[in-house]
Amino acid sequence: MVLSVKEKKWMDSVIKEEEVRRYMDGEYDFIDDEEIWSKLLSNRSPDKKRIEDILQKSLAIETLTPDETAALLNVEDPELWDEIFRVAGEVKKKVYDNRIVTFAPLYCSNYCVNNCLYCGFRRENLREKRRKLSLEEVKEETKVLAGEIGHKRLIVVYGEHPLSDARYIADTIEAIYSVKVPTRNGFGQIRRVNVNAAPMSIDNLRLLRDVGIGTYQVFQETYSHELYAKVHPEGTIKHDYRWRLYCMHRALEAGIDDVAIGVLFGLYDWRFEVMGLLYHARELEKRFDGIGPHTISFPRLMPAAEAPFVQETRYKVSDEDFKRLVAVLRLAVPYTGLILTARETADIRRQLIPLGITQTDASTKIGIGAYSENYDEQEIERQQFIIGDPRSLDEVIRELAEMGYITSFCTAGYRCGRTGDRIMKLLRSGKEGRFCKLNAILTFREWLDDFASEQTRHIGEQIIEKEIEEVKMQVPENYSETVFNELLKYYERIKNGERDLYF
Ligand code: SAM
Ligand code: SF4
């Protein structure tokens, strides 16, 4: 696809060099490839005692150092890995208890001026059917997601293009929040819109902040400077490693409280990439008063149309290594949310969730317009890649309940100002869990009444009873008698059709 003059002109206006330079250390950014390799080398063959000490530090909800993380990544003994997996689950429980949050992606536009060698939206993929949803179409998609399936959170996704610029993104967010749909017993509404879109300037990020963006998510794809330049060809905006690397600095400066990072695993050495994520988290903590990434994502490379690097890569991540990298991330940045997507099969998801996952998507469709136009078949010409787990939200929630997890639809934290440094403090001290436990009970009750199948409602109710019992047991240590009684009252009101009550 040849770029038009208008597209070229727009591309030239995107990157603001000054908004990169101001955070840099002279000529250097905070990823030193050689330093990462030397840490991985110098921490080889760690002894058991050292690993056990590191695990204790994670259990105290402290971010690990690069040396400690490198030591974990170098463990070879399978028994020690089992111990690492076990402690990863324990850290998750300590910070987030048995809660899982669910969401759905909503793809709004697949126009893209970039040419990333692994992505079906790249501009040289002429097979891709390009489409941008109108605001009416965005509302139609939202009606299905919020009114039929029962989602409360979305991640909206866009290619990088003048047709899907910051103004369009802001308009789609507003369109989504405006939709309110009657349901069996109440109403459905999206209460949090997270965004996955290209890096933006501080002014454009302010635009998103002003319409109530949830988390701003951008994946670095790979932290290797060399490979980054290769898979994001010259002459594209995305070729600029540092414009991307510092976009979370800009977002925090623009007043977006929750930022999310990630790597596209399979492009480069997985151990190196985990180190890159850790350096990124530590850099944000250092610069922004302890605020690290709200979540970390670890998508694995999936088949995509006309995406040569998917075949070419030497770094595909095996299922076993995938488990290891998720567990190490859990331990290295213990307070962060970890997002597992429907790129992965149901079987892999089952194995990974106990290692510390906090969020996952369900009823996922990634074709543009796929929810309201109801096409179920995956069509490679209409989507970015092929997903591995198309199960419905009802099925996923039922399985989670069978595994002992309660699905939380709580979005109260953000609406009560529990974001940014406030949420970080609560997470590190384990106190966030107290509010969340109550809100999980209330929002799960709502969802069961409005959307669940009989079978799911049955098992869901058992989980709720158990949760209420647990809260009761924690009176008066963690909850006052008044709060417990309030919970019971709210619970009854929700059963009678009231919605959106929270602590
Ligand atoms: N265009 C924006 C950007 O590049 O930042 C928005 C993101 S893109 C639509 C969403 C994410 O999908 C990318 O950041 C990348 O990590 C992931 N992705 C791209 N191609 C993929 C593939 N073949 N398999 C799995 N994930 C892929
Ligand atoms: Fe465009 Fe993003 Fe795909 Fe790259 S990853 S081609 S920027 S949509």
Side-chain angles (χ1 to χ4, degrees):
M1 188 175 69
V2 183
L3 292 165
S4 69
V5 176
K6 205 171 146 206
E7 284 169 330
K8 276 200 196 129
K9 204 166 153 217
W10 181 82
M11 284 166 71
D12 289 342
S13 73
V14 172
I15 296 178
K16 311 261 181 279
E17 274 304 324
E18 193 281 319
E19 293 187 10
V20 177
R21 291 253 148 229
R22 68 211 284 176
Y23 306 112
M24 282 176 59
D25 188 6
E27 285 310 298
Y28 299 99
D29 60 55
F30 60 86
I31 298 292
D32 178 342
D33 297 49
E34 276 180 26
E35 181 178 305
I36 291 182
W37 282 120
S38 84
K39 296 271 178 211
L40 284 168
L41 268 176
S42 61
N43 287 285
R44 276 203 299 204
S45 311
D47 64 45
K48 197 169 171 210
K49 170 80 179 68
R50 178 154 180 239
I51 295 299
E52 279 165 1
D53 290 345
I54 295 171
L55 295 180
Q56 285 310 312
K57 188 172 171 188
S58 301
L59 277 168
I61 321 301
E62 280 180 55
T63 310
L64 298 184
T65 64
D67 283 303
E68 289 160 346
T69 306
L72 289 180
L73 290 166
N74 277 315
V75 166
E76 279 171 14
D77 175 4
E79 271 178 33
L80 207 44
W81 271 112
D82 284 342
E83 178 65 3
I84 290 175
F85 294 152
R86 192 187 62 72
V87 177
E90 216 178 297
V91 168
K92 146 77 176 41
K93 188 147 182 16
K94 207 165 169 188
V95 182
Y96 293 93
D97 204 351
N98 61 336
R99 285 183 302 280
I100 298 268
V101 160
T102 50
F103 66 94
L106 170 52
Y107 277 70
C108 293
S109 172
N110 60 358
Y111 284 93
C112 193
V113 292
N114 293 314
N115 208 11
C116 314
L117 299 186
Y118 46 80
C119 175
F121 290 172
R122 62 196 289 261
R123 73 170 189 241
E124 277 180 17
N125 177 10
L126 302 180
R127 284 167 63 196
E128 185 75 11
K129 294 181 183 142
R130 306 283 165 175
R131 181 170 172 200
K132 164 186 147 170
L133 295 181
S134 68
L135 296 181
E136 274 317 305
E137 288 170 330
V138 169
K139 288 184 194 166
E140 288 307 311
E141 293 282 275
T142 309
K143 280 183 199 160
V144 176
L145 288 159
E148 290 175 26
I149 303 171
H151 279 293
K152 301 279 184 271
R153 290 172 188 245
L154 299 182
I155 177 115
V156 277
V157 188
Y158 315 77
E160 183 167 26
H161 195 273
L163 288 173
S164 56
D165 61 5
R167 185 65 264 163
Y168 171 72
I169 296 176
D171 290 345
T172 53
I173 296 175
E174 286 189 308
I176 292 166
Y177 282 133
S178 74
V179 172
K180 197 167 169 178
V181 209
T183 56
R184 281 206 297 247
N185 293 301
F187 63 87
Q189 197 171 29
I190 297 299
R191 299 181 188 153
R192 178 160 169 107
V193 182
N194 300 328
V195 172
N196 184 313
M200 286 172 223
S201 67
I202 295 175
D203 277 348
N204 283 336
L205 288 161
R206 287 203 180 106
L207 211 67
L208 303 191
R209 177 204 60 193
D210 291 346
V211 294
I213 183 182
T215 307
Y216 177 54
Q217 180 185 68
V218 177
F219 306 150
Q220 187 62 26
E221 320 294 14
T222 173
Y223 284 93
S224 154
H225 284 80
E226 197 183 331
L227 189 86
Y228 187 94
K230 183 176 166 200
V231 293
H232 304 110
E234 229 170 304
T236 61
I237 306 174
K238 196 152 165 182
H239 186 69
D240 193 321
Y241 178 99
R242 287 170 176 166
W243 177 242
R244 202 168 180 87
L245 191 65
Y246 286 101
C247 71
M248 295 312 165
H249 291 62
R250 296 194 294 279
L252 288 162
E253 194 168 324
I256 294 179
D257 277 349
D258 295 332
V259 298
I261 61 176
V263 152
L264 182 53
F265 279 93
L267 296 179
Y268 193 57
D269 181 272
W270 65 270
R271 292 184 175 86
F272 181 95
E273 303 289 26
V274 170
M275 294 293 283
L277 287 165
L278 176 82
Y279 273 87
H280 203 160
R282 291 177 64 92
E283 159 79 10
L284 294 174
E285 285 179 19
K286 190 175 88 192
R287 293 276 187 127
F288 296 95
D289 216 11
I291 307 184
H294 189 69
T295 56
I296 296 182
S297 295
F298 28 85
R300 275 197 293 186
L301 201 55
M302 306 304 287
E306 308 294 320
F309 202 74
V310 178
Q311 279 80 43
E312 217 178 282
T313 182
R314 292 189 287 125
Y315 294 103
K316 283 253 163 75
V317 179
S318 69
D319 292 348
E320 195 49 35
D321 287 344
F322 195 45
K323 278 169 71 178
R324 292 177 174 184
L325 78 85
V326 169
V328 174
L329 284 172
R330 173 77 288 150
L331 296 165
V333 194
Y335 58 80
T336 200
L338 290 184
I339 303 184
L340 175 65
T341 71
R343 288 177 181 85
E344 302 298 336
T345 61
D347 183 42
I348 294 289
R349 301 223 284 181
R350 237 167 264 135
Q351 294 179 46
L352 282 173
I353 282 169
L355 304 181
I357 301 301
T358 60
Q359 297 197 22
T360 194
D361 54 335
S363 288
T364 300
K365 292 186 182 182
I366 61 171
I368 315 276
Y371 295 108
S372 55
E373 291 159 20
N374 211 11
Y375 55 89
D376 284 324
E377 285 303 307
Q378 295 202 54
E379 292 177 42
I380 198 137
E381 282 86 12
R382 289 174 84 154
Q383 55 196 58
Q384 193 188 8
F385 49 80
I386 296 295
I387 60 165
D389 183 4
R391 282 178 306 162
S392 71
L393 181 61
D394 189 78
E395 282 170 279
V396 170
I397 287 182
R398 191 182 327 137
E399 180 174 279
L400 288 171
E402 281 160 5
M403 290 164 78
Y405 296 99
I406 180 166
T407 302
S408 174
F409 290 93
C410 171
T411 50
Y414 316 107
R415 291 181 290 162
C416 305
R418 293 202 292 274
T419 57
D421 62 340
R422 289 171 297 280
I423 188 105
M424 286 290 152
K425 283 188 194 123
L426 289 167
L427 287 170
R428 286 200 182 95
S429 64
K431 283 191 183 133
E432 174 63 6
R434 292 189 203 157
F435 296 105
C436 292
K437 198 173 181 69
L438 309 178
N439 290 329
I441 294 171
L442 298 175
T443 55
F444 195 40
R445 177 78 255 172
E446 269 190 29
W447 189 84
L448 290 178
D449 286 347
D450 282 344
F451 302 101
S453 64
E454 253 327 294
Q455 220 183 337
T456 305
R457 193 206 307 238
H458 183 68
I459 174 140
E461 279 172 347
Q462 291 172 7
I463 291 272
I464 289 189
E465 271 171 35
K466 200 172 128 264
E467 291 293 307
I468 295 181
E469 198 49 40
E470 277 181 23
V471 176
K472 193 174 168 189
M473 300 293 284
Q474 291 178 40
V475 176
E477 294 79 36
N478 289 333
Y479 302 97
S480 66
E481 191 84 34
T482 325
V483 165
F484 180 64
N485 289 333
E486 197 80 347
L487 169 71
L488 297 182
K489 270 191 227 147
Y490 277 9
Y491 188 70
E492 281 309 308
R493 283 167 61 188
I494 284 176
K495 274 167 69 182
N496 291 329
E498 270 189 75
R499 291 292 171 262
D500 208 14
L501 302 172
Y502 54 84
F503 285 88

